[in-house]
Amino acid sequence: MRSVIDILDLSVAELDELVACANDIIENPEKYAHKCAGKKLATLFFEPSTRTRLSFEAAMYELGGNVLSMSDAKSSSAAKGESVADTAKTISCYADIIAMRHPKEGAPLVASMNASIPVINAGDGGHNHPTQTLADLLTISREKGRFNNITVGFCGDLKFGRTVHSLISALSRYENVKFVLISPEELKLPSYVKKDIIQKNNLEYVQTTDLEEVMPELDILYMTRVQRERFFNEEDYLRLKDSYILTPEKLETAKKDLCIMHPLPRVNEISVAVDEDPRACYFKQVLNGKYMRMALILKLLEVK
Ligand code: NCD
């Protein structure tokens, strides 16, 4: 029985295997339509979500399985004071696999230590979001055909943006990856990610506040939303929320084969005019997320 709490819980070989499986699902969906018949996925979401929860649920339905869904923490026993550990033990009696999102960093890890079924971290506070990274990796693989030899710009809220932390972790295991970290001073990448991931793996990186200056060198531009719900005061959020707004004009100096990504939801950070640009990949990322979650569910349920 295996859980995925951090993207590093999966080896590079396993990531390759998941990408290959997702590509096969895209080509031959009918082959997979009954693979999870009789199995149940429980989605336990203690924080808002559109894509992550619904894509997990769509993934399970497309595998022929069923879903038990808890989308509102206020209507669950957590509101009565139940611990994450007890919730995990309880859900283990009903389902075969859990996808959990929680505002507290480490909550899905605690769930995995108490559940008797696999637990997937669907986002824990400002920490990690490994299945968004799976969506991101399939997108990079399909758009660029490689994970090596790329310059990846991360722009926006690098402090609280859990999708950034997980994607940096994943890419740190490949060759000749360069990170360009673009953020306001207050929203810089946490030092633990910089030290334990980027510097430990001897990867090249630069930090800047200026998106336009670095635009021409990027192969991938990963935009992020300023994470309002993690701020201690609204004033700071209001001051920082529009630090970066990507427009067609700002893309004029970008590479012709730039891949523009965003985990979504977007607020203001990408102008809708950019959606027409063939380099905009963020809605492809959404679809890729469903296929990678299908591949992950199959792997963790050990379905052949
Ligand atoms: C992200 C998240 O929840 O961290 N959304 C998602 O799952 N696609 C990004 C965000 O909320 O800004």
Side-chain angles (χ1 to χ4, degrees):
M1 201 265 304
R2 207 160 148 210
S3 290
V4 171
I5 304 303
D6 189 298
I7 193 67
L8 298 178
D9 293 340
L10 295 162
S11 68
V12 168
E14 286 175 318
L15 293 180
D16 288 345
E17 193 191 299
L18 289 172
V19 166
C21 177
N23 280 319
D24 195 51
I25 295 170
I26 293 170
E27 299 290 316
N28 308 291
E30 67 292 341
K31 232 169 81 181
Y32 294 87
H34 307 287
K35 291 275 186 199
C36 286
K39 303 275 186 199
K40 280 171 280 174
L41 162 76
T43 50
L44 308 182
F45 277 59
F46 297 88
E47 258 194 351
S49 168
T50 300
R51 269 153 297 274
T52 306
R53 184 171 64 84
L54 295 183
S55 72
F56 263 114
E57 297 183 358
M60 194 54 166
Y61 284 124
E62 289 189 26
L63 292 167
N66 286 301
V67 170
L68 304 172
S69 185
M70 197 218 80
S71 60
D72 179 9
K74 289 200 276 313
S75 69
S76 77
S77 281
K80 301 180 188 170
E82 186 171 56
S83 68
V84 166
D86 285 1
T87 301
K89 285 181 190 155
T90 301
I91 304 302
S92 299
C93 302
Y94 308 144
D96 300 284
I97 185 164
I98 293 172
M100 176 185 274
R101 168 169 291 188
H102 204 286
K104 289 211 178 87
E105 285 84 359
L109 175 65
V110 172
S112 72
M113 290 158 63
N114 289 278
S116 55
I117 58 178
V119 176
I120 303 171
N121 177 4
D124 63 328
H127 189 214
N128 279 327
H129 193 346
T131 64
Q132 179 62 46
T133 299
L134 296 179
D136 300 342
L137 290 174
L138 182 60
T139 307
I140 295 172
S141 160
R142 289 176 73 86
E143 298 301 316
K144 312 252 29 126
R146 64 183 196 277
F147 298 127
N148 296 321
N149 308 315
I150 44 172
T151 298
V152 188
F154 288 93
C155 179
D157 188 347
L158 311 191
K159 180 177 180 190
F160 298 116
R162 55 194 176 194
T163 64
V164 171
H165 309 155
S166 291
L167 183 54
I168 287 179
S169 296
L171 291 174
S172 68
R173 295 186 289 183
Y174 297 92
E175 297 289 313
N176 196 23
V177 176
K178 180 179 170 187
F179 297 119
V180 181
L181 307 172
I182 310 143
S183 74
E185 273 304 311
E186 295 90 334
L187 299 178
K188 275 159 80 173
L189 194 72
S191 58
Y192 80 88
V193 182
K194 222 161 42 188
K195 283 204 199 89
D196 299 349
I197 307 287
I198 301 183
Q199 292 167 347
K200 198 169 137 199
N201 290 292
N202 282 321
L203 290 160
E204 203 184 326
Y205 74 98
V206 290
Q207 286 183 298
T208 176
T209 55
D210 189 343
L211 171 61
E212 280 160 278
E213 182 188 76
V214 295
M215 187 69 87
E217 59 179 290
L218 305 179
D219 298 306
I220 291 166
L221 172 57
Y222 196 98
M223 296 295 295
T224 61
R225 172 180 72 90
V226 175
Q227 307 279 299
R228 179 181 205 159
E229 64 275 37
R230 318 249 180 256
F231 276 70
F232 291 110
N233 71 71
E234 183 74 0
E235 256 165 60
D236 286 347
Y237 169 71
L238 294 174
R239 184 166 51 79
L240 294 168
K241 74 183 175 66
D242 293 326
S243 299
Y244 302 97
I245 300 179
L246 188 66
T247 58
E249 297 69 46
K250 288 188 189 151
L251 284 163
E252 273 165 21
T253 60
K255 287 188 180 169
K256 293 277 167 285
D257 63 348
L258 173 70
C259 174
I260 306 165
M261 299 175 67
H262 191 307
L264 303 180
R266 114 176 100 183
V267 185
N268 273 330
E269 55 282 354
I270 303 183
S271 129
V272 290
V274 174
D275 299 1
E276 304 303 315
D277 191 308
R279 295 171 291 186
C281 294
Y282 27 94
F283 289 106
K284 291 185 195 168
Q285 245 172 300
V286 175
L287 188 57
N288 289 337
K290 182 184 70 179
Y291 295 122
M292 282 302 258
R293 290 181 176 107
M294 289 172 80
L296 183 64
I297 290 169
L298 289 170
K299 179 171 179 63
L300 296 182
L301 289 180
E302 298 176 7
V303 176
K304 287 279 166 309

